[in-house]
């Protein structure tokens, strides 16, 4: 496909308090992109950082117009920051990448090579999770296992947002208006011709991760509820099974009472049944609440993000945010 677009590769970087990583990030990005002999832009999204990330980005932008900056009005979270970056990018291929150098910029060469072979999405799968605790690895495994079972579109495991997206995939993603943005799910959902390359994920260069277990848990719930109705539907079947068992047990009790008369003891079984059903009902309500809350978020239809200012964009080329 021939693009009239002068920019071939857009690298999109969401940044939240990443000041110590910026210089080294650009150094490595430039090294790779320059030797690839292509036209490129680096779209940096400042996601409401509290340190000097924005100032540092603007300094880099003034020295190099290929570095463009979108400054969001507050911290919206990585998924939304990434969406903003993708909206503002104009390249024929878009590569989202983390600012902490956990996604090695050198891999972009490999991603682009695959893209040139004709793939629309080239995702980078982690071979190792260096420096991650056993708990993190186990929970990640459990998450990918359950979402793999529940979601109808296969979501590649051990794959972050680091990947290459062809412009047609980007345009498809831009048409997805949902507020709960589980990006790796969205990337998989749109389909197109996909392939992967494997890499070893290093540790964060500087700074600390912004994801604690509570955030990861919520992220996992977002992922599952956005891509599966199984948690909502399964209760119908469970309810049916419980009713069936109850019916059989009730029949047994009636017959036994008719034959042997009334039998007083039964406190334990009564309590177990009441507590069990009470627990299941609350659990179901909770799960319905998860979906209901998300429906409410969608119905409100608020814009995904607000931009305070941006640097380096030709205003006419900036699309209005849906
Ligand atoms: N990030 C962001 N907004 C947030 C949290 C994180 O833009 O609210 C960015 C962060 O600056 C980094 C990327 O998302 O570029 C990945 O974050 P992090 O390294 O903390 O996540 P991890 O690698 O531990 O999954
Ligand atoms: Mg990281």
């Amino acid at each position: 496909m021939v693009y009239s677009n002068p920019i071939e590769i857009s690298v999109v970087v969401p940044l939240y308090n990443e000041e110590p990583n910026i210089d080294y990030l650009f150094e490595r990005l430039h090294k790779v992109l320059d030797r690839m002999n292509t036209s490129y832009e680096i779209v940096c999204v400042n996601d409401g950082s509290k340190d000097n990330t924005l100032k540092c980005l603007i300094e880099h932008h003034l020295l190099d117009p290929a570095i463009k900056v979108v400054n969001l009005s507050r911290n919206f979270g990585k998924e939304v920051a990434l969406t903003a970056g993708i909206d503002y990018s104009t390249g024929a291929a878009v590569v989202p990448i983390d600012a902490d150098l956990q996604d090695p910029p050198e891999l972009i060469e490999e991603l682009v090579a695959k893209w040139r072979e004709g793939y629309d999405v080239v995702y980078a799968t982690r071979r190792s999770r260096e420096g991650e605790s056993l708990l993190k690895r186990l929970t990640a495994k459990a998450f990918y296992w359950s979402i793999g079972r529940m979601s109808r579109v296969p979501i590649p495991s051990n794959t972050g947002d680091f990947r290459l997206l062809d412009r047609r995939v980007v345009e498809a993603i831009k048409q997805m208006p949902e507020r709960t943005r589980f990006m790796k799910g969205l990337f998989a959902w749109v389909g197109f011709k996909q392939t992967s390359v494997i890499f070893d994920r290093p540790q964060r260069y500087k700074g600390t991760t912004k994801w604690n277990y509570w955030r990861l848990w919520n992220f996992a719930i977002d992922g599952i509820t956005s891509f599966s109705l199984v948690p909502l539907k399964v209760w119908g079947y469970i309810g049916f099974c419980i009713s069936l068992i109850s019916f059989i047990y009730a029949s047994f009790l009636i017959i036994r009472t008719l034959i042997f008369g009334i039998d007083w003891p039964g406190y334990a079984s009564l309590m177990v049944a009441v507590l069990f059903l009470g627990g299941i009902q609350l659990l179901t309500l909770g799960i319905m609440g998860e979906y209901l809350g998300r429906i409410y978020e969608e119905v409100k239809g608020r814009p995904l993000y607000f931009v305070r200012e941006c640097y380096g964009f030709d205003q006419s080329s900036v699309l209005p945010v849906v």
Side-chain angles (χ1 to χ4, degrees):
M1 191 165 175
V2 179
Y3 293 92
S4 54
N5 198 325
I7 291 176
E8 195 178 25
I9 295 168
S10 297
V11 177
V12 174
V13 201
L15 300 105
Y16 177 58
N17 296 348
E18 298 285 3
E19 190 187 352
N21 294 324
I22 293 177
D23 291 345
Y24 189 45
L25 171 74
F26 287 144
E27 188 189 317
R28 277 181 59 184
L29 274 176
H30 276 312
K31 214 167 174 184
V32 182
L33 294 166
D34 288 340
R35 77 168 171 243
M36 282 168 62
N37 210 356
T38 170
S39 52
Y40 65 88
E41 63 176 359
I42 303 174
V43 179
C44 303
V45 183
N46 175 39
D47 187 17
S49 300
K50 294 188 178 69
D51 61 0
N52 282 326
T53 299
L54 179 65
K55 192 166 154 256
C56 200
L57 289 175
I58 295 172
E59 277 165 15
H60 277 279
H61 159 68
L62 293 176
L63 293 174
D64 176 5
I67 295 174
K68 304 174 180 178
V69 185
V70 179
N71 184 27
L72 299 186
S73 61
R74 65 169 168 88
N75 177 262
F76 284 91
K78 180 188 174 183
E79 309 281 305
V80 172
L82 201 58
T83 307
I86 289 176
D87 287 345
Y88 275 76
S89 65
T90 54
V94 175
V95 183
I97 191 169
D98 280 3
D100 57 2
L101 293 149
Q102 282 195 292
D103 303 332
E106 293 71 30
L107 206 72
I108 296 178
E109 271 184 315
E110 259 181 73
L111 300 180
V112 170
K114 286 268 180 204
W115 174 58
R116 296 223 163 104
E117 278 174 29
Y119 290 99
D120 302 317
V121 178
V122 189
Y123 51 89
T125 298
R126 303 164 194 173
R127 185 181 4 231
S128 62
R129 289 171 158 258
E130 200 186 300
E132 288 186 0
S133 66
L134 185 68
L135 184 64
K136 175 96 188 260
R137 268 179 285 164
L138 282 179
T139 45
K141 210 169 173 174
F143 168 68
Y144 283 116
W145 183 85
S146 16
I147 200 158
R149 289 282 148 124
M150 288 192 233
S151 158
R152 256 182 287 158
V153 279
I155 293 175
S157 44
N158 291 326
T159 302
D161 297 321
F162 184 32
R163 60 187 73 208
L164 180 144
L165 308 163
D166 184 79
R167 175 62 33 199
R168 55 193 128 193
V169 181
V170 171
E171 292 307 322
I173 289 189
K174 279 195 196 165
Q175 286 173 38
M176 302 175 88
E178 52 233 80
R179 263 77 213 149
T180 313
R181 297 199 76 83
F182 183 66
M183 291 310 266
K184 47 187 135 187
L186 299 185
F187 291 151
W189 191 90
V190 292
F192 294 94
K193 220 173 137 192
Q194 309 210 354
T195 187
S196 67
V197 297
I198 294 188
F199 76 111
D200 290 302
R201 193 162 207 242
Q203 289 191 28
R204 180 174 244 290
Y205 178 58
K206 288 210 173 115
T208 50
T209 174
K210 280 94 200 171
W211 299 84
N212 53 31
Y213 279 103
W214 178 242
R215 237 178 132 166
L216 281 172
W217 166 248
N218 282 303
F219 182 65
I221 297 182
D222 273 352
I224 289 171
T225 49
S226 311
F227 285 90
S228 173
L229 293 178
V230 172
L232 208 53
K233 286 179 173 169
V234 73
W235 300 105
Y237 297 97
I238 293 181
F240 177 75
C241 292
I242 294 179
S243 307
L244 198 69
I245 295 168
S246 312
F247 181 74
I248 294 168
Y249 187 56
S251 313
F252 163 75
L253 285 182
I254 290 171
I255 292 168
R256 198 180 65 172
T257 314
L258 284 176
I259 297 174
F260 298 107
I262 292 171
D263 183 16
W264 268 117
Y267 177 76
S269 55
L270 204 65
M271 274 318 271
V272 169
V274 168
L275 293 177
F276 174 69
L277 286 178
I280 288 226
Q281 278 163 4
L282 283 181
L283 190 69
T284 333
L285 270 180
I287 289 176
M288 279 166 49
E290 288 288 344
Y291 281 90
L292 188 69
R294 283 171 174 77
I295 296 172
Y296 182 50
E297 287 293 321
E298 299 293 332
V299 168
K300 277 193 282 190
R302 288 187 185 157
L304 268 175
Y305 56 85
F306 283 109
V307 173
R308 185 165 186 275
E309 75 253 317
C310 36
Y311 303 85
F313 294 93
D314 165 16
Q315 283 307 316
S316 61
S317 73
V318 175
L319 300 168
V321 179
V322 189

